Amino acid sequence: VRLLLINPNTTTMVTDRVVRAAQERARPQTQVTGATGRFGARYITTRASAAVAGHAALDAYAEYGAKADVVGLACFGDPGLLALREVAHQPVVGMAEASCLLACTLGRRFAIVTGGERWGPMLEEFVAGLGLADRLAGVVTVRPTGGDIARDPDAAVAPLAAGCLSAVSERGADVVILGGAGLVGLAGRLADRVPVPVIDCVAALITACEAIGALGVKTPTVGTFAPPPAIESVGLSPSLSARLGA
Amino acid sequence: VRLLLINPNTTTMVTDRVVRAAQERARPQTQVTGATGRFGARYITTRASAAVAGHAALDAYAEYGAKADVVGLACFGDPGLLALREVAHQPVVGMAEASCLLACTLGRRFAIVTGGERWGPMLEEFVAGLGLADRLAGVVTVRPTGGDIARDPDAAVAPLAAGCLSAVSERGADVVILGGAGLVGLAGRLADRVPVPVIDCVAALITACEAIGALGVKTPTVGTFAPPPAIESVGLSPSLSARLGA
Amino acid sequence: VRLLLINPNTTTMVTDRVVRAAQERARPQTQVTGATGRFGARYITTRASAAVAGHAALDAYAEYGAKADVVGLACFGDPGLLALREVAHQPVVGMAEASCLLACTLGRRFAIVTGGERWGPMLEEFVAGLGLADRLAGVVTVRPTGGDIARDPDAAVAPLAAGCLSAVSERGADVVILGGAGLVGLAGRLADRVPVPVIDCVAALITACEAIGALGVKTPTVGTFAPPPAIESVGLSPSLSARLGA
Amino acid sequence: VRLLLINPNTTTMVTDRVVRAAQERARPQTQVTGATGRFGARYITTRASAAVAGHAALDAYAEYGAKADVVGLACFGDPGLLALREVAHQPVVGMAEASCLLACTLGRRFAIVTGGERWGPMLEEFVAGLGLADRLAGVVTVRPTGGDIARDPDAAVAPLAAGCLSAVSERGADVVILGGAGLVGLAGRLADRVPVPVIDCVAALITACEAIGALGVKTPTVGTFAPPPAIESVGLSPSLSARLGA
Amino acid sequence: VRLLLINPNTTTMVTDRVVRAAQERARPQTQVTGATGRFGARYITTRASAAVAGHAALDAYAEYGAKADVVGLACFGDPGLLALREVAHQPVVGMAEASCLLACTLGRRFAIVTGGERWGPMLEEFVAGLGLADRLAGVVTVRPTGGDIARDPDAAVAPLAAGCLSAVSERGADVVILGGAGLVGLAGRLADRVPVPVIDCVAALITACEAIGALGVKTPTVGTFAPPPAIESVGLSPSLSARLGA
Amino acid sequence: VRLLLINPNTTTMVTDRVVRAAQERARPQTQVTGATGRFGARYITTRASAAVAGHAALDAYAEYGAKADVVGLACFGDPGLLALREVAHQPVVGMAEASCLLACTLGRRFAIVTGGERWGPMLEEFVAGLGLADRLAGVVTVRPTGGDIARDPDAAVAPLAAGCLSAVSERGADVVILGGAGLVGLAGRLADRVPVPVIDCVAALITACEAIGALGVKTPTVGTFAPPPAIESVGLSPSLSARLGA
């Protein structure tokens, strides 16, 4: 299985870290590559940067997506997910989507703990868009952003642990998702401090991608994710223009 | 009131037509200008082109938005609406949003009739995101796309009328929205054939913008639409990069 | 545009104040008149008085509604709104309805701040009836009733400001509606103290009525708001009896 | 148990028929009396007549309610139910409410079959207001109104049977409510023709009232149904004015 | 009316107490008998014991159900309710179901107060399954379990009263259900301490069963509760095996 | 990873077939064993047989569950799932649960196609219990039951294909789940005839179990799935009695 992980922000260090974590987890026969957004925010922390990232994810897919068997969208919040699913000729899985769906088998109500307070309402809307609002215990944000946490993970352990405990005791979460590519690897450090399962969103993405790769499902030829009609465009990268115009 | 209409697709003819219709409708003291997306699809007809248009709307706002009192997002489906609302220092109104909210005062359940079948699920999701799913009688799409209709409105009158009648008799709509910038002006031609009110989405957008301009509401300083923190980015237009980095 | 504002409580002073505020806001060519309920509570503060007011609103419409182009129902809580919409041959807009729909374009979740604690559950049910429950951050009531506030607005500024701030900080409202005809004019005095937009419900009603008047929408000839069949009745005012029997 | 049945339309013949049916069903120690609306429609068939009936129900309660142990609101659609519950010092049960709640123990999804097509959306809104929208298979209306059926029940058997069968086979109802005071007694004539339970709404009301009377529950002293504050009013009947002003 | 009360836990003392309470409440002509589960938990306090009780309820019905006119499932939480309704040739009413539906006529939002904290999420799911989630103010559990309370009711009065008051003041309940067969008789002792109606779940069950018995409704011959096809099974009691294989 | 598949019906042939299919799919290091219900229906086709199966699943777990790392509940409809999750010391995944969650990453709205018409409402309730009602396009049942199909798969291909096509064209499904242990292996035979992805529920269960095994998540120590208190019981198998009493 050839797995392409698209990181729609523009920080290669995050992509590298996610790919490395994926390679450590993946089965031997899984081949993991990464792609980084070519434009947009260094770290996605707002609605505007997420909107740009939807475009950047499509652009990166157009450039690198041809040979993958499965595509993982490696930004928690999944900017551009449904558009990618429409355009891609292989299955596409989002990092937040995979985490939320996994959480549903581990508890009745899940919480998301993540960095950067602007993500709170954005993730509530995302979960509602999945149709899972009734299973969301809440989104708990800590002050340091995903970018801050990626730069100094050690400093984030304490506030994230406090966020997880608050999610359990105040919001009644049965399971907690640690959300954000920049938080990769921290779930393991928190597991002993939190009395419910803690999900590492990168691990959730990888296992979901491998599971779908193993199932060998095809993509639809009718409906909203069927191959779309060709579109005439201007001002896009040659690869994206070609992909949309095909 | 200075009103900026952002058309996030890349067809100036559509912008011009929307601005002209707005000027005909607007009060004398309202000053209407338009801005067209600098990149992306000629006509937005798919999820991917709508995702790119979210970026293009932000880009156009960064270039032209400084002096407006109210911003109207003149693409039915409102790509980038919430991101614009976050970034803008003035109120922002979306064309589909304004139409759906207006429809709620004219009937119990509204239908959207529009061009291009790929818009069906996209608009259902949009209305659900507004929280109005229970008031949506349905989305009825006709085969010609918005672009087709813009190029040959006369040919579209018959299928659109059939779509409106089906919305009323089969889905129980009390009011019908004719959705799409390219359909501007057609509501008037259909009114006599349809037994419930038919909303022209451009007119709905203009009156909503003028109403909000007249109310003189300020924008929030806390919450999800408060001015966001400055963001470091790469590869964006100078104006958008400056806007996000401010 | 001839705009009739129906105040379904029986206090002419409130009607006068609302009409005056409307005249100050309205465009020059808008002609505003008012009508006051002929029976019922001085101030509507309970379910029973609101139920009577539904009848009183219909009665006032039957007496004064013939020549209006648009009808505004000028009591926050909108008693009789759907019945008026059924009976009237012109569009009808409710004060709470217009405020809630306007709020939806200014924030994700709105709060209503109003006078009189009995209104809390009544307004929650009203918003649910609009289909907007998911966008309601909450209803915050202050102890003085609408009648108290109308008699002594100065004394109400402090508790209303506290209510608005509580709505923002404790319930996460992005926008606040100041609800109640008796509160007309207070939104402006609160705007500087509250970090999110504050909506004046009279202003919201007037702008909505003018917008709908400007659009020139017709009323439906089929469905739940089509002209109803004639009804035989007893004991009603001659005008209402005639209106229902027509 | 002294049971007062309020018929908020103005046709004494309907009240008499409902009271007689109640007396036949009631336990020996139950004492049934009826009260008819003093103003309003002969038969309630529209939103406007239902709004007036809310007032008429309160008025009748103020006149006749003092000595009852339980009050039944004997109009399917329950105009004024929540206002009555606020004002009354004894429990109040609505005819449609009692029928819908009973239906929930007899099947998963219930349908309402009733006379007069204007009732369709009104009853859908009523059921949604109860919070039971997910259990409603649908409302099926037949052309003759409740008044027509009361005048000529025999002629209504065939269309009502067809309506019930359609509710079962096309909408998947597990149980059918025959709605309307004017339809009293017809459920028994339909039971053999319909493959699921058919509920007589008068019987449902009586048994619910007797059950609540037998339980001896008190009414609340806090919350939305606690005794409301006294209200100053004008133009109401002496008894209602006194009741609201107490 | 012959009423069979099935207690699906295995403690005869609880059955006896429920039957006695029922006999005291029931009309003279009602004949009440009880049946106790033949296997499973002494007291149902967890998901696993409730799952077993679903089987035990069916088993008890197969053994004792033949001659009843109405069946009451006398365990709050109603394990096996829909399965019983499928299998039984007479109407079946659940104790929690009857209580929740009754509560809906006595207030807008009801709370359940019960013994044993594991019941909290289970009852939330039960109420959601009824379709009544929007009317549930909350489930308040006290530390002593239903079994503890059955053994020492006096000690439970204080914590239950505290739970009821918390349900009213903190969750806004208009009516409180005291849930649990082991709590039979305590509602009367709490009524004076609680400012809203307190429902005794055994009384609610009995009155609902008698009401349904009095209505004489038949059971359906189509749909999900029609008599099911015969099933081949192994390892079940002879009576249940025969009942399912019939 | 040691994976235990519990088949809560009593037909060993189905267990064997599911285990064999699992072994073919599983990674080399995954060790698959099966357990069959010791009592209950040969094939689960009704509410009553599903209720008994909830008990049988717990019983089988108590007998065979000690050494597994992950437990899969291999009956589509997942009887006893939440009770198992409460009792088990390792993660538990349900077959229908895993299929529905997987479907959510492959399309917007999924349909379930299965054998035996009684499953229709039962599966609708199951999906609603998952919180996924908004993503369910519908349940399409074919006349042959799961047992019939297990005995003669060839005869089922044509009706199942018709069911899948109807789910896509009439209900708008983007993805179809072929539900039922007895249908194992048929998804592959239908894939070419259906224009959207077809999910094999056994494959979905295995990949979900392996993914969760690979993640190494722990089980919670607080909340509704924490280890329950010991329960005294009678009449259960020694292993289940011991397991609940531990």
Side-chain angles (χ1 to χ4, degrees):
Chain A
V1 174
R2 292 164 303 173
L3 167 56
L4 172 67
L5 296 179
I6 296 178
N7 168 21
N9 74 29
T10 55
T11 300
T12 313
M13 178 266 281
V14 170
T15 317
D16 293 347
R17 213 181 282 184
V18 169
V19 168
R20 207 158 46 238
Q23 285 165 335
E24 286 164 11
R25 285 209 154 267
R27 310 187 191 189
Q29 69 274 32
T30 301
Q31 189 181 322
V32 183
T33 56
T36 307
R38 298 195 288 196
F39 51 84
R42 285 294 181 203
Y43 294 95
I44 300 166
T45 56
T46 63
R47 292 178 183 278
S49 47
V52 171
H55 178 187
L58 289 167
D59 181 78
Y61 174 78
E63 188 73 21
Y64 301 107
K67 293 188 184 159
D69 296 310
V70 181
V71 173
L73 182 58
C75 169
F76 200 87
D78 303 3
L81 177 63
L82 301 188
L84 267 180
R85 196 165 279 155
E86 174 194 71
V87 164
H89 61 271
Q90 62 278 87
V92 179
V93 183
M95 182 184 268
E97 177 191 50
S99 300
C100 294
L101 295 171
L102 172 62
C104 288
T105 67
L106 298 175
R108 283 303 286 170
R109 283 161 37 91
F110 63 86
I112 297 170
V113 177
T114 192
E117 64 172 17
R118 309 285 295 203
W119 273 108
M122 293 161 69
L123 288 172
E124 285 172 12
E125 293 160 23
F126 174 80
V127 172
L130 281 181
L132 291 176
D134 285 348
R135 299 203 60 177
L136 180 66
V139 180
V140 176
T141 56
V142 298
R143 190 178 299 258
T145 64
D148 297 335
I149 298 173
R151 278 184 295 269
D152 185 359
D154 289 345
V157 169
L160 289 171
C164 291
L165 291 173
S166 150
V168 172
S169 61
E170 283 163 43
R171 296 171 188 253
D174 297 308
V175 50
V176 173
I177 297 165
L178 216 56
L183 281 64
V184 62
L186 291 176
R189 296 176 63 180
L190 294 170
D192 284 348
R193 307 193 189 190
V194 181
V196 299
V198 180
I199 293 177
D200 175 327
C201 62
V202 176
L205 177 63
I206 301 311
T207 54
C209 287
E210 289 195 308
I212 283 172
L215 287 167
V217 289
K218 65 175 193 183
T219 50
T221 58
V222 303
T224 192
F225 297 128
I231 285 173
E232 189 190 342
S233 64
V234 299
L236 303 181
S237 71
S239 51
L240 181 54
S241 174
R243 190 74 200 72
L244 299 184
Chain B
V1 175
R2 293 163 302 175
L3 168 56
L4 172 66
L5 296 179
I6 295 178
N7 168 21
N9 73 30
T10 54
T11 300
T12 314
M13 178 266 279
V14 170
T15 316
D16 292 346
R17 213 182 281 184
V18 168
V19 168
R20 206 157 48 237
Q23 284 165 334
E24 284 164 13
R25 286 211 153 263
R27 310 186 192 190
Q29 68 273 32
T30 301
Q31 192 182 319
V32 183
T33 56
T36 306
R38 297 195 289 197
F39 51 85
R42 284 295 180 205
Y43 295 95
I44 299 166
T45 55
T46 61
R47 294 178 183 275
S49 48
V52 170
H55 178 187
L58 288 167
D59 181 77
Y61 175 77
E63 187 75 18
Y64 300 108
K67 294 190 183 155
D69 296 310
V70 180
V71 172
L73 181 57
C75 168
F76 200 87
D78 303 3
L81 176 63
L82 300 188
L84 266 179
R85 197 164 278 155
E86 174 194 69
V87 164
H89 61 270
Q90 63 278 86
V92 179
V93 182
M95 183 183 266
E97 178 191 50
S99 301
C100 294
L101 294 171
L102 172 62
C104 287
T105 69
L106 298 174
R108 282 302 288 171
R109 285 162 35 92
F110 64 85
I112 297 171
V113 176
T114 193
E117 64 172 19
R118 306 286 292 204
W119 272 109
M122 292 163 69
L123 288 172
E124 285 173 12
E125 292 161 23
F126 174 80
V127 173
L130 281 180
L132 291 175
D134 284 348
R135 299 201 61 176
L136 179 67
V139 180
V140 176
T141 56
V142 299
R143 188 178 298 259
T145 65
D148 297 335
I149 298 173
R151 279 183 296 268
D152 185 0
D154 287 348
V157 169
L160 289 170
C164 292
L165 292 172
S166 150
V168 172
S169 61
E170 282 162 45
R171 296 171 189 252
D174 297 308
V175 50
V176 173
I177 297 166
L178 218 54
L183 282 62
V184 63
L186 291 176
R189 297 174 63 178
L190 293 171
D192 284 349
R193 307 193 190 189
V194 181
V196 300
V198 180
I199 293 177
D200 176 326
C201 62
V202 175
L205 176 63
I206 301 310
T207 55
C209 287
E210 288 195 308
I212 282 172
L215 288 167
V217 289
K218 65 175 193 183
T219 50
T221 59
V222 302
T224 191
F225 297 128
I231 285 174
E232 191 190 340
S233 64
V234 300
L236 303 181
S237 72
S239 52
L240 181 55
S241 174
R243 190 75 200 73
L244 298 184
Chain C
V1 175
R2 293 163 303 175
L3 168 56
L4 171 67
L5 296 179
I6 296 178
N7 169 21
N9 73 30
T10 55
T11 301
T12 314
M13 179 265 281
V14 169
T15 316
D16 293 345
R17 211 181 283 182
V18 168
V19 168
R20 206 157 49 237
Q23 284 164 335
E24 284 165 12
R25 286 213 153 264
R27 310 187 191 189
Q29 69 273 30
T30 302
Q31 192 180 320
V32 183
T33 56
T36 306
R38 299 194 288 196
F39 51 84
R42 284 292 179 206
Y43 294 95
I44 300 165
T45 56
T46 61
R47 292 179 184 276
S49 48
V52 171
H55 178 187
L58 289 167
D59 181 76
Y61 174 78
E63 187 73 20
Y64 300 107
K67 293 189 183 158
D69 296 311
V70 181
V71 173
L73 181 58
C75 168
F76 200 87
D78 303 3
L81 176 62
L82 300 188
L84 268 180
R85 196 165 279 154
E86 174 194 71
V87 165
H89 61 269
Q90 62 278 86
V92 180
V93 183
M95 184 184 267
E97 177 191 51
S99 301
C100 292
L101 294 171
L102 172 62
C104 287
T105 68
L106 298 175
R108 283 302 286 171
R109 283 160 38 92
F110 64 85
I112 296 171
V113 177
T114 192
E117 63 172 19
R118 307 285 294 203
W119 272 110
M122 292 162 70
L123 288 172
E124 285 172 13
E125 292 161 22
F126 174 80
V127 173
L130 282 180
L132 290 176
D134 284 349
R135 299 203 60 176
L136 179 66
V139 180
V140 176
T141 55
V142 299
R143 189 177 299 258
T145 64
D148 297 335
I149 299 174
R151 280 185 294 270
D152 186 359
D154 289 346
V157 169
L160 289 170
C164 291
L165 291 173
S166 152
V168 172
S169 61
E170 282 163 44
R171 296 172 190 252
D174 297 307
V175 51
V176 173
I177 297 166
L178 217 54
L183 282 63
V184 64
L186 290 176
R189 294 175 65 179
L190 292 171
D192 284 348
R193 306 193 190 189
V194 181
V196 301
V198 179
I199 293 177
D200 176 327
C201 63
V202 176
L205 177 63
I206 302 311
T207 54
C209 286
E210 290 196 307
I212 283 171
L215 287 168
V217 288
K218 65 174 192 182
T219 50
T221 57
V222 302
T224 191
F225 298 127
I231 286 174
E232 189 190 343
S233 63
V234 299
L236 303 182
S237 72
S239 52
L240 181 54
S241 175
R243 189 72 201 75
L244 298 183
Chain D
V1 175
R2 293 163 302 175
L3 169 55
L4 171 67
L5 296 178
I6 296 177
N7 169 22
N9 75 30
T10 55
T11 300
T12 314
M13 176 267 279
V14 170
T15 316
D16 293 346
R17 209 180 286 184
V18 168
V19 169
R20 205 157 48 238
Q23 285 164 334
E24 285 164 12
R25 285 212 153 264
R27 310 186 192 190
Q29 70 272 34
T30 301
Q31 190 181 321
V32 183
T33 57
T36 307
R38 298 195 288 196
F39 50 85
R42 285 292 180 206
Y43 294 96
I44 299 166
T45 56
T46 62
R47 293 178 182 276
S49 49
V52 171
H55 178 188
L58 289 167
D59 182 76
Y61 174 78
E63 189 72 20
Y64 301 107
K67 294 190 183 155
D69 297 310
V70 181
V71 173
L73 181 58
C75 168
F76 200 87
D78 302 2
L81 176 63
L82 300 188
L84 266 180
R85 196 165 280 155
E86 176 194 68
V87 164
H89 61 270
Q90 62 277 87
V92 180
V93 182
M95 182 183 267
E97 178 191 51
S99 301
C100 293
L101 294 171
L102 172 62
C104 288
T105 68
L106 297 175
R108 283 302 288 171
R109 284 161 38 90
F110 63 85
I112 297 170
V113 176
T114 193
E117 64 173 18
R118 308 285 294 203
W119 272 109
M122 293 162 69
L123 288 172
E124 285 172 12
E125 293 160 23
F126 174 81
V127 173
L130 282 181
L132 291 177
D134 285 349
R135 299 201 61 176
L136 180 65
V139 180
V140 176
T141 56
V142 300
R143 189 178 299 257
T145 65
D148 297 336
I149 298 173
R151 279 184 295 268
D152 186 359
D154 289 346
V157 169
L160 288 171
C164 292
L165 291 173
S166 150
V168 172
S169 61
E170 283 162 44
R171 296 170 190 252
D174 297 307
V175 49
V176 173
I177 297 166
L178 217 54
L183 281 63
V184 63
L186 291 175
R189 297 176 62 180
L190 293 170
D192 284 348
R193 307 195 189 187
V194 181
V196 300
V198 180
I199 293 177
D200 175 327
C201 61
V202 175
L205 177 63
I206 301 312
T207 54
C209 287
E210 289 195 306
I212 283 171
L215 287 168
V217 289
K218 64 176 194 181
T219 51
T221 58
V222 302
T224 192
F225 296 127
I231 284 173
E232 189 190 342
S233 64
V234 300
L236 303 181
S237 71
S239 52
L240 181 54
S241 175
R243 189 75 200 74
L244 298 184
Chain E
V1 174
R2 293 164 300 174
L3 168 56
L4 171 67
L5 296 179
I6 296 177
N7 169 21
N9 73 29
T10 54
T11 301
T12 313
M13 179 265 281
V14 170
T15 315
D16 293 345
R17 210 181 283 184
V18 168
V19 168
R20 204 158 49 237
Q23 283 164 336
E24 285 164 13
R25 287 213 151 263
R27 311 187 192 190
Q29 69 273 33
T30 301
Q31 189 181 323
V32 183
T33 55
T36 307
R38 299 195 286 196
F39 50 84
R42 285 292 179 205
Y43 294 95
I44 299 166
T45 56
T46 61
R47 294 178 182 276
S49 47
V52 171
H55 178 188
L58 289 167
D59 181 77
Y61 173 78
E63 187 73 21
Y64 300 107
K67 294 189 183 158
D69 296 311
V70 180
V71 173
L73 182 57
C75 168
F76 200 86
D78 301 4
L81 177 62
L82 301 188
L84 267 180
R85 196 164 281 153
E86 174 194 70
V87 164
H89 61 270
Q90 61 278 85
V92 179
V93 183
M95 181 184 269
E97 178 192 52
S99 301
C100 293
L101 295 171
L102 172 63
C104 287
T105 68
L106 297 175
R108 283 302 286 171
R109 283 159 38 90
F110 64 86
I112 297 170
V113 176
T114 194
E117 63 173 17
R118 308 285 296 203
W119 272 109
M122 291 161 70
L123 288 172
E124 286 172 13
E125 292 160 23
F126 174 81
V127 174
L130 281 181
L132 290 176
D134 284 349
R135 301 204 60 176
L136 179 67
V139 180
V140 175
T141 55
V142 300
R143 190 179 297 259
T145 64
D148 297 334
I149 299 174
R151 278 185 295 268
D152 185 359
D154 288 346
V157 170
L160 289 170
C164 291
L165 292 172
S166 151
V168 173
S169 62
E170 282 163 43
R171 296 172 190 252
D174 297 308
V175 52
V176 173
I177 297 165
L178 217 54
L183 282 64
V184 62
L186 292 176
R189 296 175 63 180
L190 293 171
D192 284 348
R193 307 193 190 188
V194 181
V196 300
V198 180
I199 293 176
D200 176 326
C201 62
V202 175
L205 177 63
I206 302 309
T207 54
C209 287
E210 289 195 308
I212 283 172
L215 287 168
V217 289
K218 63 174 194 183
T219 50
T221 58
V222 302
T224 192
F225 297 128
I231 285 174
E232 188 191 342
S233 63
V234 299
L236 302 181
S237 71
S239 53
L240 181 54
S241 175
R243 189 75 200 74
L244 299 184
Chain F
V1 174
R2 292 163 301 174
L3 170 55
L4 171 68
L5 296 179
I6 296 177
N7 169 22
N9 74 28
T10 53
T11 301
T12 314
M13 177 266 279
V14 170
T15 316
D16 292 347
R17 210 182 283 185
V18 169
V19 168
R20 204 157 50 239
Q23 284 165 334
E24 285 164 11
R25 285 212 152 263
R27 308 187 194 189
Q29 69 272 35
T30 302
Q31 192 180 318
V32 183
T33 56
T36 307
R38 297 194 288 195
F39 50 83
R42 285 291 180 207
Y43 293 95
I44 300 166
T45 56
T46 62
R47 294 178 182 276
S49 48
V52 171
H55 178 187
L58 289 167
D59 181 77
Y61 174 77
E63 186 74 20
Y64 301 107
K67 294 191 182 154
D69 296 310
V70 181
V71 172
L73 182 57
C75 168
F76 201 87
D78 302 3
L81 177 63
L82 300 188
L84 266 182
R85 196 165 280 155
E86 175 194 68
V87 164
H89 61 270
Q90 62 278 86
V92 179
V93 183
M95 184 183 264
E97 177 191 52
S99 300
C100 292
L101 295 171
L102 172 64
C104 287
T105 67
L106 298 175
R108 283 303 287 172
R109 287 163 32 91
F110 63 86
I112 296 170
V113 176
T114 193
E117 65 172 18
R118 307 283 295 204
W119 272 109
M122 293 163 70
L123 288 172
E124 285 173 12
E125 293 161 22
F126 174 81
V127 173
L130 281 180
L132 291 176
D134 285 349
R135 299 200 63 174
L136 180 67
V139 180
V140 176
T141 55
V142 299
R143 188 177 299 257
T145 65
D148 297 336
I149 298 174
R151 279 184 294 270
D152 185 359
D154 288 347
V157 169
L160 289 171
C164 291
L165 292 172
S166 151
V168 172
S169 62
E170 281 163 45
R171 296 170 190 252
D174 298 307
V175 50
V176 174
I177 296 166
L178 217 54
L183 281 65
V184 62
L186 291 176
R189 296 175 63 178
L190 293 170
D192 283 349
R193 306 195 190 187
V194 181
V196 300
V198 180
I199 293 177
D200 176 326
C201 63
V202 176
L205 176 63
I206 301 310
T207 54
C209 287
E210 289 196 305
I212 282 172
L215 287 168
V217 289
K218 65 175 191 181
T219 51
T221 58
V222 302
T224 193
F225 297 127
I231 286 173
E232 190 191 341
S233 63
V234 300
L236 303 181
S237 71
S239 52
L240 182 54
S241 175
R243 188 75 200 76
L244 298 184

